[in-house]
């Protein structure tokens, strides 16, 4: 408008009329004539071009009235004037002037019209003012006042409602409707902020804030109740309430604090209850004790029930945490689905952040809570010395702890190192004392054992003993043996899934006697009395001895003095592979053996529950076997004269094993040396005195084959025990730490496998006394061997020796009526007797002073007769040491050079036997010089032996 005024002034025009009185001036406005703007009308009339032309006018033309346009244009002229440029510039200015004037003219016309409209409006306004009264305007004012009063009344009613919310809030809190109470309180606060201009509202607002804080306190108490007894409806209300407050993260922090406090309070109250109950008084001094000190006051009688209740209470806390996590997982998935359907991105991001925080907090809390549980139980475990507990009670403790460790593994995947270490300490301590007591008991059993057969059924298996029942249960390694739940489903059900709806995995259940009953014993060692009767009726003591052997003389040439041959039934009876009397081949073991097996089962139970002490347990198990083996050897196999025979009856491995056992396990000192060091005293505590055979066991009677029955029972019970250890080897190997497995392998290869090797030295003693070898030597000494003609009749010592074997066979049969003699045992006995007989024969031949070629032939005749009759008594083939005798007899015929080579090759003969051979040959085909040479060779062979 200012530009327009300025331009009109410069063109000689007046400003627009300020009022109706100025309209006359507009009428007198001079408009340039057509001639004056003839050139301008020739210009284009395009509105856009016209507007661009107006815009190109310089701003100085619209400045103040004192602006001199002519001067301004003249000053712009260049120093050198160009007529054409001046004309073009003049035409441009004229076009700008014409365009601006046309616009001013249009504006002038518009202003005139506006002035007319304003005049008409004022006129109509005056008419309206005269048509309305002051009363109408007063009515409008009253209506407005009415509306204001209605609003005020509504506000007063709202304030009155706010004043009455206290009662409703109290009712909601009593009903534990925390979300409703908080919602109501927040709405009241919002309403109060609307009416904060009222003085009564400020006090109400402060009261509402106090009420909200009170609700938060009660909400925190309600949250703490979740820790011991999770209720899904209760927890849902609490979480909704915290969500309304916008404090879900704070709620999660508080919840973990409550769980920690719940664990502490729970264990303290459980232990305190038992301590006060056992104390029998109302003394409050226990309440002031620390939990660690309180655990030391638990009595042994109440230890297990208290431990069970402790674990039950802790289970409830962990189950509540488990169900809390379940609740959040379920609601997180629901929230995710609802968030995906919504459109509030800001709210969704905030919710996702809270959800992620809660998830991490809960996952971290698993390990933290389990660590607290472990530490509390560890303190309880170490507060009492468990070494005085009975075995079953201690196993029960391990059982509970094993179940607790399973809970920990399912709870957070923990291996429960804290619990394992604490129970390992208690177990090793307990087991050392327990094992020492068991070794002393084993010595007592061995010293009172009469080595009578313990009758068990033929199908006896150690798995039938209740100590080994745990091996039949297919279960997880960390699950306790006696509480394994039966599951028909192939899917493994966790304890939390199993007991989520009710029950407790630590409930103490009474042992069912039916599960522990054993049916392993037989009547008198037979499956039935009928079998026993038929066995004795069928087997006669002399039925397996040919009649010809009962005669003093049998003709060698015809062999037909008794014409009738041996019956087929007699041969069948005689050639029994086993002196078993048709008994079912039930295992041979004693009560002591059974006790050792039961001990092994108990040891394995403990090892199976607590694998960290597996090496200690297996080491102690090996000592049970070692001591049993050593006792059998000491009672029945120790004989220094055996080693002098040079027959290798005890292998180097067996001797090494026996020496190791004696050095590491056997206490050979009669009384403690007061000057001994403490270390030596401690070492002696680990050893056991050597056992002594019961005076009731007689090993000197020839009628019983020098205690053969007892020897068989003892030796074969050891072999049976070794077989059971072989059966258990895979189970032991599975739990043995990898670094300790060489110990287990060495135990089996160096000790267990040597059990059967004890048969040779033990039964050798029987074989050495069962046959009267000295009498045979005397009879052989009376034979004349320098005969001049070949004899057709064998010597009488052969018949005497065969009668000895016949008597041995009868006694063996008598013994077999008491104890089944296994085939390996009978074979060893026969082998020993035959070997001793053959060596006695060689020794008898070595005592001969003079012998002719015919005498040597007589020796061969005697030996062949002995072999022929012996082969009818035994099934052993080939006859042991047959070549030993035959080779010695044939050596008589060797030449000097052959004999020298023969002497160097056959070192199995004694120096005496070789020397006698050379001396007897002197004069027949060996001269004195050759004799000296051969004796020198014998001396060279004998020298390293000295």
């Amino acid at each position: 408008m200012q530009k327009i005024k300025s331009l009109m002034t410069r063109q000689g025009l007046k400003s627009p009329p300020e009022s109706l009185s100025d309209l006359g001036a507009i009428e007198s406005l001079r408009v340039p004539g057509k001639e004056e703007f003839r050139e301008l009308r020739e210009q284009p009339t395009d509105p856009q071009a016209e507007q661009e032309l107006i815009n190109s006018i310089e701003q100085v033309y619209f400045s103040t009235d004192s602006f001199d346009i002519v001067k301004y244009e003249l000053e712009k002229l260049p120093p050198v004037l160009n007529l054409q440029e001046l004309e073009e510039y003049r035409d441009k200015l004229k076009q700008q002037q014409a365009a601006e004037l046309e616009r001013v003219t249009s504006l002038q016309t518009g202003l005139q019209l506006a002035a007319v409209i304003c005049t008409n409006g004022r006129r109509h306004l005056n008419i309206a003012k005269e048509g309305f009264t002051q009363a109408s305007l007063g009515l409008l004012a009253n209506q407005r006042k009415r509306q204001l009063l209605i609003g005020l009344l509504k506000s007063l009613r709202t304030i009155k409602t706010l004043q009455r919310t206290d009662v409703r809030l109290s009712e909601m809190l009593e009903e534990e409707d925390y979300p409703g109470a908080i919602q109501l309180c927040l709405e009241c606060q919002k309403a109060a902020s609307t009416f904060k201009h009222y003085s009564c509202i400020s006090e109400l607002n402060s009261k509402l804030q106090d009420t909200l804080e009170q609700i938060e306190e009660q909400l925190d108490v309600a949250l703490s109740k979740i820790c011991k007894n999770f209720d899904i409806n209760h927890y849902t209300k609490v979480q909704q309430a915290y969500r309304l407050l916008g404090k879900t993260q704070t709620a999660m922090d508080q919840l973990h604090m409550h769980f920690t406090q719940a664990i502490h309070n729970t264990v303290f109250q459980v232990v305190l209850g038992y301590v006060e109950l056992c104390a029998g008084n109302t003394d409050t001094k226990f309440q002031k004790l620390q939990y660690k000190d309180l655990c030391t006051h638990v009595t042994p009688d109440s230890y297990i029930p208290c431990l069970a209740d402790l674990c039950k209470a802790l289970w409830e806390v962990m189950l509540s945490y488990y169900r809390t996590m379940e609740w959040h997982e379920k609601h997180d998935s629901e929230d995710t689905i609802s968030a995906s359907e919504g459109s509030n991105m800001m709210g969704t991001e905030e919710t996702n952040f809270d959800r992620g925080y809660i998830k991490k907090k809960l996952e971290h809390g698993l390990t933290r809570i389990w660590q607290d549980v472990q530490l509390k139980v560890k303190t309880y475990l170490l507060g009492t010395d468990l070494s005085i507990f009975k075995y079953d009670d201690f196993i029960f403790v391990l059982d509970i702890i094993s179940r607790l460790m399973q809970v920990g593994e399912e709870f957070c995947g923990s291996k429960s190192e804290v619990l394992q270490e604490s129970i390992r300490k208690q177990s090793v301590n307990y087991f050392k004392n327990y094992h020492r007591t068991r070794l002393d008991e084993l010595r007592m059993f061995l010293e009172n054992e009469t080595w009578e057969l313990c009758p068990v059924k033929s199908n006896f298996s150690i798995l039938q003993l209740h100590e080994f029942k745990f091996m039949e249960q297919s279960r997880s390694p960390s699950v306790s043996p006696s509480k394994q739940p039966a599951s028909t489903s192939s899917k493994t059900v966790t304890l939390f899934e199993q007991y989520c709806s009710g029950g407790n995995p630590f409930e103490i259940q009474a042992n069912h006697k039916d599960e522990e009953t054993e049916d392993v014993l037989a009547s008198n060692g037979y499956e039935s009395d009928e079998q026993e009767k038929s066995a004795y009726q069928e087997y006669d003591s002399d039925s397996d001895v040919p009649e010809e052997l009962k005669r003093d003389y049998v003709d060698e040439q015809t062999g037909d003095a008794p014409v009738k041959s041996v019956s087929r039934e007699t041969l069948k009876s005689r050639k029994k592979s086993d002196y078993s009397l048709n008994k079912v081949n039930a295992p041979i073991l004693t009560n002591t053996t059974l006790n050792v097996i039961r001990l092994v089962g108990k040891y394995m139970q403990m090892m199976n529950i607590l694998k960290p002490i597996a090496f200690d347990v297996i080491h102690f198990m090996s000592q049970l076997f070692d001591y049993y083996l050593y006792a059998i050897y000491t009672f029945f196999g120790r004989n220094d004269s055996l080693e002098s025979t040079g027959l290798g009856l005890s292998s180097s491995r067996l001797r090494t094993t026996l020496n190791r056992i004696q050095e590491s396990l056997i206490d050979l000192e009669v009384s403690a040396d007061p000057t001994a060091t403490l270390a030596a005293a401690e070492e002696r505590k680990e050893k056991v005195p050597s056992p002594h055979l019961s005076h009731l066991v007689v090993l000197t009677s020839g009628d019983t084959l020098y205690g053969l029955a007892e020897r068989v029972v003892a030796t074969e019970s050891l072999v049976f025990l070794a077989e059971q250890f072989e059966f258990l080897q895979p189970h032991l190997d599975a739990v043995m730490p990898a670094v300790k497995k060489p110990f287990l392998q060495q135990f089996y290869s160096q000790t267990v496998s040597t059990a059967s090797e004890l048969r040779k030295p033990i039964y050798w003693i029987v074989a050495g006394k069962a046959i009267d070898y000295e009498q045979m030597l005397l009879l052989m000494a009376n034979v004349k061997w320098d005969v001049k003609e070949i004899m057709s009749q064998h010597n009488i010592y052969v018949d005497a020796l065969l009668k000895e074997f016949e008597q041995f066979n009868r006694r063996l049969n008598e013994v077999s009526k008491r104890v089944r003699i296994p085939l390996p045992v009978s074979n060893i006995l026969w082998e020993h007797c035959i070997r001793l007989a053959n060596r006695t024969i060689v020794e008898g031949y070595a005592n001969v002073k003079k012998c002719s070629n015919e005498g040597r032939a007589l020796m061969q005749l005697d030996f062949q007769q002995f072999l022929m009759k012996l082969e009818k008594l035994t099934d052993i083939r080939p006859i042991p040491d047959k070549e030993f005798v035959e080779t010695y007899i044939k050596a008589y015929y060797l030449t000097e050079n052959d004999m020298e080579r023969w002497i160097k090759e056959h070192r199995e003969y004694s120096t005496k036997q070789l020397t006698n051979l050379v001396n007897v040959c002197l004069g027949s085909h060996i001269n004195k010089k050759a004799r000296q040479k051969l004796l020198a060779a014998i001396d060279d062979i004998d020298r390293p032996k000295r």
Side-chain angles (χ1 to χ4, degrees), residues 58-122:
E58 295 183 41
Q59 290 295 325
V60 295
Y61 288 103
F62 303 104
S63 60
T64 60
D65 295 340
S66 60
F67 178 68
D68 189 353
I69 299 174
V70 176
K71 183 180 179 180
Y72 173 73
E73 290 296 340
L74 290 176
E75 289 176 352
K76 287 174 59 179
L77 294 176
V80 180
L81 300 177
N82 188 317
L83 180 62
Q84 185 178 356
E85 290 178 355
L86 289 174
E87 289 179 348
E88 290 177 356
Y89 184 66
R90 182 198 61 187
D91 293 341
K92 178 181 178 183
L93 291 175
K94 286 182 177 181
Q95 289 175 0
Q96 289 176 345
Q97 183 183 24
E100 185 66 28
L101 286 174
E102 185 175 355
R103 187 172 182 182
V104 169
T105 304
S106 175
L107 178 61
Q108 184 178 12
T109 304
L111 289 173
Q112 291 173 354
L113 179 61
V116 173
I117 292 172
C118 288
T119 302
N120 291 336
R122 290 178 179 179

Side-chain angles (χ1 to χ4, degrees), residues 116-135:
V116 173
I117 292 172
C118 288
T119 302
N120 291 336
R122 290 178 179 179
R123 186 174 67 250
H124 287 96
L125 183 61
N126 289 329
I127 295 172
K129 184 177 181 182
E130 295 173 358
F132 290 97
T133 63
Q134 294 292 333

Side-chain angles (χ1 to χ4, degrees), residues 304-306 308-309 312 396 400 483 504-510:
I304 291 179
C306 182
D309 286 348
K312 283 194 288 186
F396 197 87
I400 293 176
K483 303 292 189 306
N504 196 299
F506 298 98
E507 290 287 347
I508 299 180
Q509 300 176 354

Side-chain angles (χ1 to χ4, degrees), residues 352-366:
N352 289 338
F353 177 79
D354 288 346
R355 191 182 302 123
Y357 177 85
I358 291 172
K359 183 178 180 181
K360 289 182 179 179
K361 191 75 175 179
L362 286 170
E363 290 175 350
H364 176 72
L366 284 171

Side-chain angles (χ1 to χ4, degrees), residues 896-924:
E896 174 187 342
N897 294 333
D898 291 339
M899 183 169 288
E900 182 178 3
R901 184 172 61 254
W902 183 89
I903 288 172
K904 292 179 180 179
E905 292 175 354
H906 292 79
R907 301 190 177 189
E908 65 271 22
Y909 298 101
S910 67
T911 302
K912 172 191 171 183
Q913 293 167 350
L914 295 175
T915 303
N916 179 269
L917 183 64
V918 173
N919 290 333
V920 170
C921 293
L922 179 64
S924 58

Side-chain angles (χ1 to χ4, degrees), residues 31 88 165 387 504 638 760 864 882:
V31 180
E88 290 177 356
T165 54
S387 61
N504 196 299
R638 175 173 285 173
K760 283 190 174 182
Q864 293 302 319
K882 174 184 176 182

